[in-house]
Amino acid sequence: MTAERWDQRRWQQWLLNRLTVLLGRPVTDRDVDRPLSDCGLSSRDAVTLVADITRLSGKEVPSTLVWAAPTITALSRALVETTEADDHVPVAATEPIAVVGLACRLPGAPSASAFWSLLRDGECPVATVPPDRWESFAAGQDLSRLPRHGAFLGDVAGFDAAFFGISAREADEMDPQQRLLLEVTWEALANAGMPASSLHGSDCGVFVGLSAVEYGHLTMADLSTVDAWSATGVSASLAANRLSYVLGTHGPSVTVDTACSSSLVAVHQATRALQAGDCSTAVVGGVNLLLSPGITAVFDAAGALSSDGRCKPFDAAADGIVRGEGCGVVVLRRLGDARRAGDRILAVLRGSAVNSDGRSNGIMAPNPRAQAALLRRAYANADLSPGTVDYVEAHGTGTPLGDPIEADALRAVLGANRDAERPLLIGSVKSNLGHLEGAAGITGLIKVVLALRHGQLPPSLHFTQPNPRIDFTGLRVVDAPRSWPRYGGVAR
């Protein structure tokens, strides 16, 4: 039997029958618009279903199709489509943005120069949880069965409160993420040649990515210890607002929480604010500390953590994330302003875009078509052909589901029709430091800026055998140090 000429209704009926067998329960017309994950379809079932469709149709079907078309109606429609809709949405080019300063504090790398050494040398500072880090959050609970691997900073409590004009009592109530962000921001401004005092009274904007708000569970659990500083100490909004307050700046001040994308969405918002004239300088950061075992327990229960404490992006053995912590900050200005001011320009951001995966196959599941559409809009906004890009610092979580979907979108938009000797190079800093969650994006951005400055691409670690669920046509993982290729004469 062949399905080459089947219409949508025929495919829909076949899917209802096949899913009834696959799931061991009746799947009926009432289920056609429910996400397949709600019907009980697992990732393993999805792979089986795609294999069945491939055999039946007689042509290769992408392994990510079930996530691109997450309902029976959408999947049956996709199976009869001969061409995909063009997701390219032209956007008027806007003024590029210059990165004029940066700083970071990361596991095994207390500075940007140390971070570059870590990347260049292929180091992975993943270790066990520092002694006493979680015990105060889980007094009396058995933590012995909880995974203990992660990329951790050393001292996250030390802080020179007087330097920032903050009383010792108020500093005690401050989330350590606020303290870390202040320190790294001062370092980034120094790197940019902008003393913090020079921004007082200016329209400098502050944009911070942060998704962890665990500190309040410790400081406000006992009502007898709550005081006037408790709320400002733990409020997520204060991560950005305290920076604006201490700097004395009047530009936008925004804390962004969009989970893993928080700090890159903060970069997007900062570039748009600069282009709109809402600010003339922007401080953009991301920070993440693993102060509680709670989220680790959640990821463990969901089976999302790597079994060996190593993140293996795009590898056949990829089996989950490793959690990490740290902070990164960049200083941005409009390119023309930076040139007129004589700033040292570390890199140029030519465009950005942001979207949501929408109704995918489960609220935590990615959507390859949405990712591809996002890439097309970003490059249209940047007025760049995706085919001119040398390297992509990928999200690269090292998960069985996320890696194939991300690679599929990258191949479709940036890897198509490339010469064999000019593949799209990809890598992920998560192979070094694990997943920094709210600070993941800014860490990847800083990695790319440093790589641009040194003209080298550091290796993406733990890549030994390509993931068989990924079509690497036009793509190549940077598994060893190499020079930046500059396919078009300019490093992109």
Side-chain angles (χ1 to χ4, degrees), residues 58 118 126 280-281 298 319-320 332 422 434-435 449 461:
L118 179 150
V126 172
S280 55
T281 301
V298 169
D319 63 348
L332 307 180
R422 291 190 170 194
H435 195 337
V449 174
L461 307 183

Side-chain angles (χ1 to χ4, degrees), residues 155-412:
D155 178 18
V156 298
F159 179 62
D160 188 351
F163 177 85
F164 295 100
I166 298 171
S167 71
R169 183 176 179 183
E170 182 177 4
D172 284 342
E173 300 291 336
M174 287 171 57
D175 187 330
Q177 294 178 126
Q178 292 186 26
R179 307 176 205 161
L180 181 59
L181 193 60
L182 280 167
E183 293 174 344
V184 178
T185 296
W186 254 246
E187 295 170 8
L189 290 170
N191 181 260
M194 298 180 190
S197 58
S198 69
L199 295 176
H200 187 83
S202 75
D203 66 352
C204 175
V206 176
F207 302 83
V208 174
L210 181 149
S211 59
V213 289
E214 301 164 308
Y215 195 62
H217 298 306
L218 174 66
T219 60
M220 299 181 74
D222 183 353
L223 295 181
S224 67
T225 65
V226 172
D227 62 21
W229 303 117
S230 296
T232 54
V234 303
S235 170
S237 66
L238 263 290
N241 297 162
R242 192 182 294 277
L243 272 177
S244 299
Y245 176 79
V246 176
L247 287 168
T249 56
H250 302 290
S253 187
V254 182
T255 299
V256 177
D257 179 6
T258 56
C260 310
S261 62
S262 296
S263 54
L264 282 187
V265 174
V267 171
H268 171 78
Q269 292 188 346
T271 60
R272 291 301 171 92
L274 286 163
Q275 290 163 346
D278 294 335
C279 56
S280 55
T281 301
V283 171
V284 191
V287 62
N288 192 58
L289 292 178
L290 311 182
L291 300 176
S292 157
I295 301 302
T296 295
V298 169
F299 287 154
D300 182 47
L305 296 177
S306 168
S307 60
D308 61 359
R310 292 292 182 268
C311 178
K312 303 173 278 290
F314 309 112
D315 190 77
D319 63 348
I321 69 168
V322 180
R323 301 189 73 204
E325 58 185 15
C327 180
V329 175
V330 296
V331 182
L332 307 180
R333 302 187 77 176
R334 290 181 289 270
L335 181 58
D337 291 346
R339 285 173 170 162
R340 283 186 290 272
D343 293 331
R344 180 185 53 163
I345 298 171
L346 305 177
V348 176
L349 311 181
R350 296 201 171 271
S352 64
V354 64
N355 77 352
S356 169
D357 278 344
R359 189 68 177 268
S360 61
N361 192 21
I363 195 168
M364 297 294 287
N367 182 326
R369 288 185 178 176
Q371 291 191 16
L374 176 68
L375 289 167
R376 291 187 179 102
R377 283 199 298 273
Y379 285 102
N381 187 22
D383 195 25
L384 285 175
S385 167
T388 67
V389 176
D390 309 315
Y391 173 78
V392 166
E393 174 62 22
H395 188 43
T397 54
T399 56
L401 174 60
D403 284 359
I405 287 179
E406 181 178 16
D408 190 55
L410 291 172
R411 180 177 54 82

